[in-house]
Amino acid sequence: SALLEALDPEQNSTFTDNYVEIPFDLSKVMFITTANSMGSIPEALLDRLEIIELSGYLPDEKLHIAREHLIPKQMKANGVTDENIIFSDEVIMALSENYTREAGVRQLERCIASLCRKAAKKVVEGEEGPLELTVDKLGDYLGAKVHTYHKAKEEAFTGVVTGLAWTSVGGVTLQIEAVTSNGTGKMNLTGKLGDVMKESAQAAIGYIRSQSERYELKDINWDKTDIHIHIPEGATPKDGPSAGVTMATAVYSSLKKLPVTQKIAMTGEVTLTGRVLAIGGLREKLYAASRAEIFDVIIPKENEEDLKELPKELVDMMNISFAEKVDDVFDFAFGENR
């Protein structure tokens, strides 16, 4: 409430601080605030802010920041030199991916500082030679890995499709599962999904039901078929519309008993008429795919122009297919099997 008052141009020329009880003229002051996520900012406060969204750093960018800024800073702060500790690129990347999950580099700097202190302790104890830093040895100094990432395998499953999602700490892959069974026509959604994602699932199923005849699903009695969609890691809240095509593909796969390779990932919002709409966070999502060793990706046609803004090396390693409608996604995902 105090920040609301400070930002209100109608009354902040006589803003009175509650602690020193002296009026201040804040009408000529510009406030800059930062937040990891806009979801927790009250609407009344959000209305008074000019929003500038900044993308998180990719691991390659974190590598350069660590090499040029963080490591020299922490080595100086902890009194060690290149003779006492050597950071290889592999070690920095391992720190970034296995011990931090963040948009920035704050936790990465803490890990680097901790390793520098280990090297300083070794110097004080009179041990010779630099601290032996390898990817395998990191666990001895920092403990077990905090984060691990799913690597896609050369396997195909019925009703299991890999989606791409954006989070406040970067892109992730989601294994979206769908099963169908005899029942009473219910739809079950599990995995701690938000309202927007639940509506995306309803739209995806609604579209497939409306196209039953064209998709050769006439024999399915929808009133006696239950559809269950699940996204693992149920303790993690998930929301957003971009999983629409993934859920549609998982349901179609389950109904038609067609397996989907885990080496294809997709993202896109789906409508009741089967259109595939643009999504955000494309840079982070493509990197999440490459980290999972997935290089065949389906994205909305509307996002094609966004590729020009992305790092060339990231785009070049991908085989990207563009979808305007759900049929395009199914053709790419199932190929000749469809």
Side-chain angles (χ1 to χ4, degrees):
S1 60
L3 192 53
L4 278 174
E5 188 181 341
L7 296 175
D8 191 336
E10 299 298 323
Q11 57 181 337
N12 65 3
S13 59
T14 56
F15 174 79
T16 302
D17 178 75
N18 289 330
Y19 185 69
V20 294
E21 295 185 347
I22 298 174
F24 294 93
D25 181 3
L26 300 179
S27 60
K28 304 296 184 186
V29 177
M30 182 174 72
F31 291 86
I32 300 176
T33 69
T34 62
N36 290 331
S37 171
M38 286 202 301
S40 56
I41 302 175
E43 282 192 24
L45 182 56
L46 204 59
D47 187 49
R48 286 172 165 78
L49 303 177
E50 183 75 29
I51 305 298
I52 301 173
E53 293 194 21
L54 302 176
S55 299
Y57 296 124
L58 293 178
D60 288 346
E61 294 168 332
K62 290 182 180 180
L63 172 65
H64 290 294
I65 292 169
R67 179 69 67 205
E68 296 171 26
H69 301 286
L70 306 183
I71 292 173
K73 174 185 172 184
Q74 289 303 325
M75 288 176 69
K76 182 179 179 182
N78 290 281
V80 292
T81 66
D82 292 338
E83 296 179 358
N84 309 126
I85 187 168
I86 299 171
F87 288 90
S88 67
D89 289 354
E90 292 77 16
V91 165
I92 298 171
M93 293 296 278
L95 288 174
S96 173
E97 295 198 353
N98 297 327
Y99 290 91
T100 70
R101 185 174 283 180
E102 56 183 347
V105 292
R106 192 178 302 152
Q107 186 60 30
L108 177 59
E109 184 172 8
R110 289 195 190 106
C111 290
I112 291 169
S114 177
L115 292 170
C116 287
R117 287 195 294 273
K118 299 284 194 303
K121 180 184 176 186
K122 187 177 178 184
V123 173
V124 170
E125 290 176 344
E127 295 184 38
E128 295 184 1
L131 188 73
E132 189 178 350
L133 271 190
T134 63
V135 174
D136 295 335
K137 288 264 188 182
L138 282 179
D140 297 339
Y141 303 124
L142 298 175
K145 295 177 182 177
V146 179
H147 306 290
T148 56
Y149 292 96
H150 167 77
K151 301 284 186 187
K153 298 178 181 177
E154 292 282 359
E155 296 176 311
F157 299 106
T158 299
V160 182
V161 183
T162 304
L164 298 172
W166 179 91
T167 71
S168 60
V169 294
V172 295
T173 56
L174 292 177
Q175 294 294 112
I176 294 182
E177 303 173 348
V179 294
T180 55
S181 58
N182 294 329
T184 57
K186 291 189 302 182
M187 179 179 72
N188 295 317
L189 301 171
T190 53
K192 203 166 186 182
L193 312 185
D195 291 338
V196 175
M197 191 172 272
K198 289 177 182 176
E199 290 169 2
S200 291
Q202 292 168 342
I205 294 171
Y207 168 72
I208 292 174
R209 288 185 63 167
S210 72
Q211 302 296 316
S212 292
E213 192 166 334
R214 195 162 64 84
Y215 288 153
E216 298 179 358
L217 297 170
K218 304 187 292 290
D219 297 337
I220 291 181
N221 185 341
W222 294 101
D223 293 331
K224 293 185 177 179
T225 301
D226 287 354
I227 298 175
H228 188 161
I229 296 175
H230 176 68
I231 304 179
E233 295 187 49
T236 306
K238 310 167 192 74
D239 205 7
S242 64
V245 294
T246 318
M247 290 189 279
T249 305
V251 171
Y252 183 85
S253 168
S254 181
L255 291 168
K256 299 282 285 184
K257 302 294 185 277
L258 291 174
V260 187
T261 175
Q262 301 304 289
K263 285 290 191 177
I264 286 182
M266 60 188 69
T267 180
E269 181 176 357
V270 68
T271 71
L272 275 177
T273 55
R275 291 182 298 130
V276 177
L277 304 183
I279 47 84
L282 185 60
R283 185 177 81 137
E284 288 82 1
K285 290 177 180 179
L286 288 183
Y287 181 77
S290 71
R291 186 175 57 210
E293 297 179 0
I294 299 173
F295 301 103
D296 289 315
V297 178
I298 304 168
I299 69 171
K301 176 73 173 174
E302 292 180 18
N303 286 107
E304 186 173 5
E305 286 295 309
D306 296 340
L307 295 178
K308 297 175 183 176
E309 309 279 325
L310 304 186
K312 187 174 184 299
E313 60 273 14
L314 179 63
V315 177
D316 287 348
M317 72 170 68
M318 293 290 172
N319 175 29
I320 299 175
S321 303
F322 302 101
E324 292 186 85
K325 50 188 185 298
V326 174
D327 276 3
D328 299 332
V329 178
F330 291 171
D331 285 338
F332 295 136
F334 300 103
E336 294 177 359
N337 291 332
R338 183 161 179 247

